[in-house]
Amino acid sequence: MLDISKIRDDFPILKRTVNGKPLVYFDNAATSQTPQVVIDAIVDYYSNYNANIHRGVHTLSQEATDKYEEARIKIQKHFNANQSYEIIFTSGTTHSINIVATGFSSILKKDDEVIVSALEHHSNIVPWQMLCEKTGAKLKVIPMNEDGELLMDAYEKLLSNNTKLVFVNHISNALGTINPIQQIINIAHKVGAAVLIDGAQACPHIKPDVQSLNADFYVASAHKIYGPTGVGILYGKEEWLNKLPPYQGGGEMIKEVTFEKTTYADLPHKFEAGTPNISGGIAFGVAIDYANAIGFENIQEQEQKLLDYATEKLLEIEGLKIYGTSKNKTSVVSFNIEGVHPYDIGTILDKLGVAVRTGHHCAQPIMDFYKIPGTVRASFAFYNTIEEIDVLVSAVEKAKMMLS
Ligand SMILES: *Cc1c(COP(=O)(O)O)cnc(C)c1O
C-alpha cells in the first residue's frame, strides 16, 4: 500500500489553492502533475550543463549528450524495446503520429486501406485522414458499443489483404476504456497490416512491453507520465523505421550534405532533425524512474480504488449518467447531469477548487455516438485521495442544485 500523504509531498503543486479552496486536481488525463525530482532535473540541466548535444567536443556538450542518451536507454528498458535507437524522441504523441502518417504517404497506394477506431483522440484521426487524402487510401472505422468498447467481430470483418495499417489507442482518453490491443495487433498481423498503438493515455497506468505486444509503433507523451510537456516518444520496429522516410530535414538527421545529394543519418537521428528538447528528454527519463519506483501495480491499485469509489458515489446523484462503462477501464469518469451543460458544471467545480475537463476531449466522434455535446471528465492519478472524491461529489451536487 502506498502512503499517499507522503507521496503528495513529492508534488509541490498539490499544495496550492484555487479560488481560496485547496486544489483538487482531477484533470490527469489531460496532463499529469510533476514530482519535484523531475522539476529538479530540468533546473539542474539549465543550472549546470546546458549545451547542445551530439555536436560539441567540449565537456558540457558531452555531459548533456550522455544524460540525453541515458534517458533514451531508460525509456527503451521501460518499454522493453529491442534497441535504444528504436526510441525516437519527439515533441509528443501528436508529433509521433504525424511522423508515421507522413512516412506512410510514400508507401500507401490508391485503394489500400487503413483502419482507425471509433474511440480515438483527434490526433490519431486527423493525420490519417490527411494521409488518405494524399494517397487515395480508404479509412475504415472499428465501431463501438454503448459501454464504449470496440466491436471486435466488426473489426475482423474490416480487415482484408488491402489493409496496410491499423491505429488504435491503448486506453481511450475520453472514456477510460482499455482496448484489447494484443488481440487487435495479432489479428492485423494475420493480413500483414502494421499497427500503431497510441499509448498517450495508457502510460501513466500501465507499463507496456512493445516486444511482447509485437506492436509496430507505440507512441506516448512525457507530460501524461509525470514528465514535462513538449517531449514524447515514437517507438518503431527497426525495420519500419528504416523503411519510412525522414519527417523533417535539417541538422542532426544527415550523414552527408552536398547540393547534389544528402544521405540520412542512422536511427534514431534520421527522425530527430534540429535541436531537441534536451532537458525535457532527460526529465522524461527521471519521470519514468519515478513512476517505476512508485510501482505500476501500486499505481493501478490506488487508481482502481479511486475509480470504484467515484463511480459509486457519483451514481448516487439523481440524473447523473456515466459514459464509458466497460469493465476494462482506467481511472476516468466521464459524466453528464440531465438537462445541464457540462461546461456550466465545470465552471462551478473550478470555483470550488476542483479541476476537471469539460467538452469533447478531442474525441468528437465519441460524443456524436452518444449524441451529446460533451461530458464532464474527472480523471484520477495515484496521488489523488478518497477525500478529494468526496469534495468532487459534493461540488457536483452543489452545481446540480444551482443549475437545474
Ligand atoms: C493526450 C492524448 C493525445 C495527444 O497527446 P499530445 O501530448 O497532446 O500530443 C493523443 N492520444 C491520446 C489518447 C491522448 O490521451
Side-chain angles (χ1 to χ4, degrees):
M1 279 304 293
L2 297 174
D3 181 348
I4 303 299
S5 78
K6 193 157 152 273
I7 281 171
R8 288 177 70 83
D9 288 340
D10 295 341
F11 294 82
I13 207 168
L14 297 180
K15 292 192 177 66
R16 74 162 279 183
T17 55
V18 168
N19 295 319
K21 306 274 196 272
L23 167 67
V24 172
Y25 187 77
F26 283 161
D27 195 18
N28 294 286
T31 202
S32 56
Q33 292 305 342
T34 317
Q36 188 66 50
V37 281
V38 173
I39 299 167
D40 288 346
I42 297 167
V43 173
D44 182 39
Y45 168 79
Y46 283 109
S47 308
N48 295 309
Y49 60 100
N50 177 25
N52 212 329
I53 54 169
H54 302 310
R55 275 166 238 197
V57 291
H58 63 81
T59 302
L60 294 194
S61 173
Q62 280 171 8
E63 283 179 17
T65 304
D66 288 350
K67 290 268 197 190
Y68 194 66
E69 290 307 319
E70 272 167 31
R72 194 192 304 274
I73 289 166
K74 276 181 197 177
I75 294 165
Q76 174 208 352
K77 298 221 163 98
H78 179 75
F79 287 90
N80 193 31
N82 191 30
Q83 302 291 342
S84 64
Y85 53 75
E86 292 175 319
I87 301 292
I88 312 294
F89 277 117
T90 66
S91 70
T93 300
T94 304
H95 179 199
S96 303
I97 292 171
N98 276 283
I99 291 174
V100 179
T102 307
F104 264 87
S105 68
S106 66
I107 293 174
L108 289 193
K109 294 183 194 61
K110 197 169 164 305
D111 299 327
D112 280 344
E113 293 174 0
V114 298
I115 296 179
V116 67
S117 97
L119 281 175
E120 299 308 306
H121 189 283
H122 294 164
S123 69
N124 203 23
I125 301 174
V126 183
W128 307 108
Q129 285 174 324
M130 290 161 69
L131 168 68
C132 288
E133 253 168 50
K134 242 187 292 185
T135 57
K138 284 197 200 75
L139 184 75
K140 298 195 160 180
V141 183
I142 312 169
M144 61 186 266
N145 65 18
E146 278 290 321
D147 287 326
E149 296 166 327
L150 295 179
L151 302 178
M152 293 300 282
D153 289 349
Y155 167 56
E156 276 198 68
K157 290 198 188 102
L158 291 180
L159 285 160
S160 76
N161 290 331
N162 293 334
T163 312
K164 294 296 179 286
L165 198 60
V166 176
F167 29 97
V168 178
N169 61 35
H170 193 164
I171 292 180
S172 155
N173 67 302
L175 304 179
T177 313
I178 305 172
N179 290 315
I181 58 165
Q182 185 69 74
Q183 206 184 339
I184 288 170
I185 292 168
N186 292 349
I187 302 171
H189 283 169
K190 279 192 201 152
V191 298
V195 183
L196 177 141
I197 302 295
D198 171 355
Q201 204 56 237
C203 289
H205 316 289
I206 290 173
K207 182 171 176 158
D209 180 330
V210 292
Q211 286 189 83
S212 100
L213 284 168
N214 202 11
D216 299 284
F217 302 98
Y218 195 102
V219 298
S221 297
H223 71 95
K224 292 194 178 163
I225 326 171
Y226 328 113
T229 57
V231 63
I233 55 135
L234 161 63
Y235 159 78
K237 278 186 190 162
E238 182 175 0
E239 50 169 309
W240 275 115
L241 294 178
N242 282 330
K243 233 178 268 182
L244 294 186
Y247 177 62
Q248 286 180 315
E252 212 58 81
M253 55 73 73
I254 45 83
K255 205 169 253 166
E256 201 176 8
V257 178
T258 67
F259 283 109
E260 286 68 46
K261 172 135 188 81
T262 291
T263 50
Y264 304 128
D266 294 331
L267 295 173
H269 307 295
K270 174 178 155 189
F271 293 104
E272 295 182 349
T275 301
N277 181 351
I278 302 168
S279 66
I282 294 166
F284 188 4
V286 175
I288 293 271
D289 282 346
Y290 179 82
N292 280 304
I294 299 284
F296 280 85
E297 276 175 26
N298 293 327
I299 289 175
Q300 283 160 18
E301 189 184 338
Q302 170 69 4
E303 291 176 344
Q304 188 67 42
K305 213 166 64 183
L306 297 169
L307 175 66
D308 292 345
Y309 186 74
T311 305
E312 184 195 323
K313 291 292 165 185
L314 284 169
L315 284 175
E316 286 171 8
I317 299 175
E318 223 185 281
L320 187 144
K321 180 175 157 80
I322 290 178
Y323 299 89
T325 42
S326 173
K327 280 184 197 72
N328 283 320
K329 68 178 276 191
T330 43
S331 49
V332 169
V333 185
S334 236
F335 64 90
N336 274 331
I337 294 175
E338 215 182 326
V340 183
H341 198 281
Y343 178 82
D344 295 335
I345 299 174
T347 308
I348 291 175
L349 293 193
D350 181 60
K351 294 247 165 22
L352 298 167
V354 182
V356 292
R357 181 83 180 263
T358 63
H360 55 53
H361 317 298
C362 300
Q364 216 173 322
I366 300 178
M367 303 303 135
D368 291 347
F369 173 86
Y370 289 117
K371 300 190 174 58
I372 51 176
T375 67
V376 181
R377 181 187 68 186
S379 50
F380 314 122
F382 63 92
Y383 43 71
N384 289 126
T385 65
I386 293 287
E387 291 73 28
E388 287 181 305
I389 289 175
D390 289 334
V391 174
L392 167 75
V393 173
S394 74
V396 172
E397 278 168 342
K398 203 172 214 170
K400 183 191 159 191
M401 230 148 55
M402 291 167 72
L403 295 166
S404 57

